[in-house]
mmCIF file with all atom_site columns, all heavy atoms in Angstrom:
data_model
loop_
_atom_site.group_PDB
_atom_site.id
_atom_site.type_symbol
_atom_site.label_atom_id
_atom_site.label_alt_id
_atom_site.label_comp_id
_atom_site.label_asym_id
_atom_site.label_entity_id
_atom_site.label_seq_id
_atom_site.pdbx_PDB_ins_code
_atom_site.Cartn_x
_atom_site.Cartn_y
_atom_site.Cartn_z
_atom_site.occupancy
_atom_site.B_iso_or_equiv
_atom_site.pdbx_formal_charge
_atom_site.auth_seq_id
_atom_site.auth_comp_id
_atom_site.auth_asym_id
_atom_site.auth_atom_id
_atom_site.pdbx_PDB_model_num
ATOM 1  N N   . SER A 1 80  ? 155.255 83.891 144.972 1.00 92.00 ? 80  SER A N   1
ATOM 2  C CA  . SER A 1 80  ? 155.676 83.342 143.668 1.00 92.00 ? 80  SER A CA  1
ATOM 3  C C   . SER A 1 80  ? 155.096 84.183 142.519 1.00 92.00 ? 80  SER A C   1
ATOM 4  O O   . SER A 1 80  ? 155.713 84.342 141.472 1.00 92.00 ? 80  SER A O   1
ATOM 5  C CB  . SER A 1 80  ? 155.229 81.894 143.533 1.00 92.00 ? 80  SER A CB  1
ATOM 6  O OG  . SER A 1 80  ? 153.844 81.795 143.746 1.00 92.00 ? 80  SER A OG  1
ATOM 7  N N   . ASP A 1 88  ? 163.101 89.377 135.160 1.00 92.00 ? 88  ASP A N   1
ATOM 8  C CA  . ASP A 1 88  ? 164.349 90.170 135.104 1.00 92.00 ? 88  ASP A CA  1
ATOM 9  C C   . ASP A 1 88  ? 164.104 91.629 134.764 1.00 92.00 ? 88  ASP A C   1
ATOM 10 O O   . ASP A 1 88  ? 165.014 92.350 134.390 1.00 92.00 ? 88  ASP A O   1
ATOM 11 C CB  . ASP A 1 88  ? 165.276 89.575 134.024 1.00 92.00 ? 88  ASP A CB  1
ATOM 12 C CG  . ASP A 1 88  ? 166.017 88.375 134.558 1.00 92.00 ? 88  ASP A CG  1
ATOM 13 O OD1 . ASP A 1 88  ? 166.035 88.179 135.785 1.00 92.00 ? 88  ASP A OD1 1
ATOM 14 O OD2 . ASP A 1 88  ? 166.556 87.598 133.734 1.00 92.00 ? 88  ASP A OD2 1
ATOM 15 N N   . TYR A 1 132 ? 146.553 93.573 140.022 1.00 97.00 ? 132 TYR A N   1
ATOM 16 C CA  . TYR A 1 132 ? 145.112 93.598 139.836 1.00 97.00 ? 132 TYR A CA  1
ATOM 17 C C   . TYR A 1 132 ? 144.467 92.241 140.100 1.00 97.00 ? 132 TYR A C   1
ATOM 18 O O   . TYR A 1 132 ? 143.241 92.130 140.158 1.00 97.00 ? 132 TYR A O   1
ATOM 19 C CB  . TYR A 1 132 ? 144.774 94.048 138.402 1.00 97.00 ? 132 TYR A CB  1
ATOM 20 C CG  . TYR A 1 132 ? 145.503 93.277 137.357 1.00 97.00 ? 132 TYR A CG  1
ATOM 21 C CD1 . TYR A 1 132 ? 145.139 91.979 137.024 1.00 97.00 ? 132 TYR A CD1 1
ATOM 22 C CD2 . TYR A 1 132 ? 146.598 93.830 136.677 1.00 97.00 ? 132 TYR A CD2 1
ATOM 23 C CE1 . TYR A 1 132 ? 145.818 91.243 136.072 1.00 97.00 ? 132 TYR A CE1 1
ATOM 24 C CE2 . TYR A 1 132 ? 147.300 93.101 135.709 1.00 97.00 ? 132 TYR A CE2 1
ATOM 25 C CZ  . TYR A 1 132 ? 146.900 91.815 135.416 1.00 97.00 ? 132 TYR A CZ  1
ATOM 26 O OH  . TYR A 1 132 ? 147.575 91.100 134.468 1.00 97.00 ? 132 TYR A OH  1
ATOM 27 N N   . ARG A 1 135 ? 143.217 87.431 143.604 1.00 92.00 ? 135 ARG A N   1
ATOM 28 C CA  . ARG A 1 135 ? 143.716 86.702 144.765 1.00 92.00 ? 135 ARG A CA  1
ATOM 29 C C   . ARG A 1 135 ? 144.115 87.673 145.888 1.00 92.00 ? 135 ARG A C   1
ATOM 30 O O   . ARG A 1 135 ? 143.944 87.348 147.054 1.00 92.00 ? 135 ARG A O   1
ATOM 31 C CB  . ARG A 1 135 ? 144.888 85.796 144.395 1.00 92.00 ? 135 ARG A CB  1
ATOM 32 C CG  . ARG A 1 135 ? 146.073 86.493 143.829 1.00 92.00 ? 135 ARG A CG  1
ATOM 33 C CD  . ARG A 1 135 ? 147.198 85.548 143.455 1.00 92.00 ? 135 ARG A CD  1
ATOM 34 N NE  . ARG A 1 135 ? 147.713 84.801 144.571 1.00 92.00 ? 135 ARG A NE  1
ATOM 35 C CZ  . ARG A 1 135 ? 147.433 83.505 144.821 1.00 92.00 ? 135 ARG A CZ  1
ATOM 36 N NH1 . ARG A 1 135 ? 146.628 82.820 144.042 1.00 92.00 ? 135 ARG A NH1 1
ATOM 37 N NH2 . ARG A 1 135 ? 147.943 82.899 145.860 1.00 92.00 ? 135 ARG A NH2 1
ATOM 38 N N   . THR A 1 185 ? 143.494 74.014 147.469 1.00 57.00 ? 185 THR A N   1
ATOM 39 C CA  . THR A 1 185 ? 144.396 74.251 146.321 1.00 57.00 ? 185 THR A CA  1
ATOM 40 C C   . THR A 1 185 ? 145.857 74.247 146.712 1.00 57.00 ? 185 THR A C   1
ATOM 41 O O   . THR A 1 185 ? 146.723 74.286 145.883 1.00 57.00 ? 185 THR A O   1
ATOM 42 C CB  . THR A 1 185 ? 144.082 75.610 145.694 1.00 57.00 ? 185 THR A CB  1
ATOM 43 O OG1 . THR A 1 185 ? 144.401 76.645 146.618 1.00 57.00 ? 185 THR A OG1 1
ATOM 44 C CG2 . THR A 1 185 ? 142.644 75.712 145.274 1.00 57.00 ? 185 THR A CG2 1
ATOM 45 N N   . LYS B 2 5   ? 165.345 84.797 126.456 1.00 95.00 ? 5   LYS B N   1
ATOM 46 C CA  . LYS B 2 5   ? 166.234 84.003 127.332 1.00 95.00 ? 5   LYS B CA  1
ATOM 47 C C   . LYS B 2 5   ? 165.625 82.606 127.455 1.00 95.00 ? 5   LYS B C   1
ATOM 48 O O   . LYS B 2 5   ? 164.428 82.460 127.767 1.00 95.00 ? 5   LYS B O   1
ATOM 49 C CB  . LYS B 2 5   ? 166.283 84.700 128.700 1.00 95.00 ? 5   LYS B CB  1
ATOM 50 C CG  . LYS B 2 5   ? 167.505 84.434 129.480 1.00 95.00 ? 5   LYS B CG  1
ATOM 51 C CD  . LYS B 2 5   ? 167.675 85.512 130.562 1.00 95.00 ? 5   LYS B CD  1
ATOM 52 C CE  . LYS B 2 5   ? 167.540 84.891 131.923 1.00 95.00 ? 5   LYS B CE  1
ATOM 53 N NZ  . LYS B 2 5   ? 167.707 85.817 133.014 1.00 95.00 ? 5   LYS B NZ  1
ATOM 54 N N   . GLU B 2 137 ? 145.466 90.324 129.245 1.00 97.00 ? 137 GLU B N   1
ATOM 55 C CA  . GLU B 2 137 ? 145.711 91.302 130.305 1.00 97.00 ? 137 GLU B CA  1
ATOM 56 C C   . GLU B 2 137 ? 145.054 92.648 129.964 1.00 97.00 ? 137 GLU B C   1
ATOM 57 O O   . GLU B 2 137 ? 144.390 93.269 130.813 1.00 97.00 ? 137 GLU B O   1
ATOM 58 C CB  . GLU B 2 137 ? 147.207 91.504 130.489 1.00 97.00 ? 137 GLU B CB  1
ATOM 59 C CG  . GLU B 2 137 ? 147.530 92.520 131.591 1.00 97.00 ? 137 GLU B CG  1
ATOM 60 C CD  . GLU B 2 137 ? 149.015 92.520 131.965 1.00 97.00 ? 137 GLU B CD  1
ATOM 61 O OE1 . GLU B 2 137 ? 149.824 92.928 131.123 1.00 97.00 ? 137 GLU B OE1 1
ATOM 62 O OE2 . GLU B 2 137 ? 149.329 92.116 133.101 1.00 97.00 ? 137 GLU B OE2 1
ATOM 63 N N   . GLU B 2 168 ? 146.403 84.283 136.363 1.00 95.00 ? 168 GLU B N   1
ATOM 64 C CA  . GLU B 2 168 ? 146.912 83.709 137.611 1.00 95.00 ? 168 GLU B CA  1
ATOM 65 C C   . GLU B 2 168 ? 147.599 82.380 137.367 1.00 95.00 ? 168 GLU B C   1
ATOM 66 O O   . GLU B 2 168 ? 148.711 82.126 137.826 1.00 95.00 ? 168 GLU B O   1
ATOM 67 C CB  . GLU B 2 168 ? 145.749 83.548 138.603 1.00 95.00 ? 168 GLU B CB  1
ATOM 68 C CG  . GLU B 2 168 ? 146.243 83.125 139.986 1.00 95.00 ? 168 GLU B CG  1
ATOM 69 C CD  . GLU B 2 168 ? 145.079 82.807 140.899 1.00 95.00 ? 168 GLU B CD  1
ATOM 70 O OE1 . GLU B 2 168 ? 144.127 82.122 140.461 1.00 95.00 ? 168 GLU B OE1 1
ATOM 71 O OE2 . GLU B 2 168 ? 145.119 83.175 142.076 1.00 95.00 ? 168 GLU B OE2 1
ATOM 72 N N   . ASP B 2 172 ? 151.382 80.931 138.464 1.00 92.00 ? 172 ASP B N   1
ATOM 73 C CA  . ASP B 2 172 ? 151.511 79.847 139.426 1.00 92.00 ? 172 ASP B CA  1
ATOM 74 C C   . ASP B 2 172 ? 150.210 79.105 139.492 1.00 92.00 ? 172 ASP B C   1
ATOM 75 O O   . ASP B 2 172 ? 149.228 79.604 140.041 1.00 92.00 ? 172 ASP B O   1
ATOM 76 C CB  . ASP B 2 172 ? 151.930 80.384 140.775 1.00 92.00 ? 172 ASP B CB  1
ATOM 77 C CG  . ASP B 2 172 ? 152.271 79.280 141.778 1.00 92.00 ? 172 ASP B CG  1
ATOM 78 O OD1 . ASP B 2 172 ? 151.951 78.102 141.470 1.00 92.00 ? 172 ASP B OD1 1
ATOM 79 O OD2 . ASP B 2 172 ? 152.857 79.566 142.837 1.00 92.00 ? 172 ASP B OD2 1
ATOM 80 N N   . GLU B 2 174 ? 149.821 76.210 141.017 1.00 85.00 ? 174 GLU B N   1
ATOM 81 C CA  . GLU B 2 174 ? 149.722 75.387 142.222 1.00 85.00 ? 174 GLU B CA  1
ATOM 82 C C   . GLU B 2 174 ? 149.008 76.102 143.374 1.00 85.00 ? 174 GLU B C   1
ATOM 83 O O   . GLU B 2 174 ? 148.293 75.484 144.137 1.00 85.00 ? 174 GLU B O   1
ATOM 84 C CB  . GLU B 2 174 ? 151.105 74.987 142.680 1.00 85.00 ? 174 GLU B CB  1
ATOM 85 C CG  . GLU B 2 174 ? 151.670 73.851 141.831 1.00 85.00 ? 174 GLU B CG  1
ATOM 86 C CD  . GLU B 2 174 ? 153.012 73.394 142.337 1.00 85.00 ? 174 GLU B CD  1
ATOM 87 O OE1 . GLU B 2 174 ? 153.858 74.221 142.684 1.00 85.00 ? 174 GLU B OE1 1
ATOM 88 O OE2 . GLU B 2 174 ? 153.213 72.165 142.391 1.00 85.00 ? 174 GLU B OE2 1
ATOM 89 N N   . ASP B 2 198 ? 132.138 96.864 162.671 1.00 87.00 ? 198 ASP B N   1
ATOM 90 C CA  . ASP B 2 198 ? 132.632 98.189 163.069 1.00 87.00 ? 198 ASP B CA  1
ATOM 91 C C   . ASP B 2 198 ? 131.512 99.030 163.690 1.00 87.00 ? 198 ASP B C   1
ATOM 92 O O   . ASP B 2 198 ? 131.730 99.732 164.680 1.00 87.00 ? 198 ASP B O   1
ATOM 93 C CB  . ASP B 2 198 ? 133.238 98.893 161.846 1.00 87.00 ? 198 ASP B CB  1
ATOM 94 C CG  . ASP B 2 198 ? 134.558 98.300 161.429 1.00 87.00 ? 198 ASP B CG  1
ATOM 95 O OD1 . ASP B 2 198 ? 135.213 97.686 162.328 1.00 87.00 ? 198 ASP B OD1 1
ATOM 96 O OD2 . ASP B 2 198 ? 134.937 98.420 160.273 1.00 87.00 ? 198 ASP B OD2 1
#
Side-chain angles (χ1 to χ4, degrees):
Chain A
S80 55
D88 280 344
Y132 52 74
R135 61 182 298 105
T185 65
Chain B
K5 206 160 115 179
E137 181 169 67
E168 186 187 43
D172 187 346
E174 284 183 316
D198 288 336

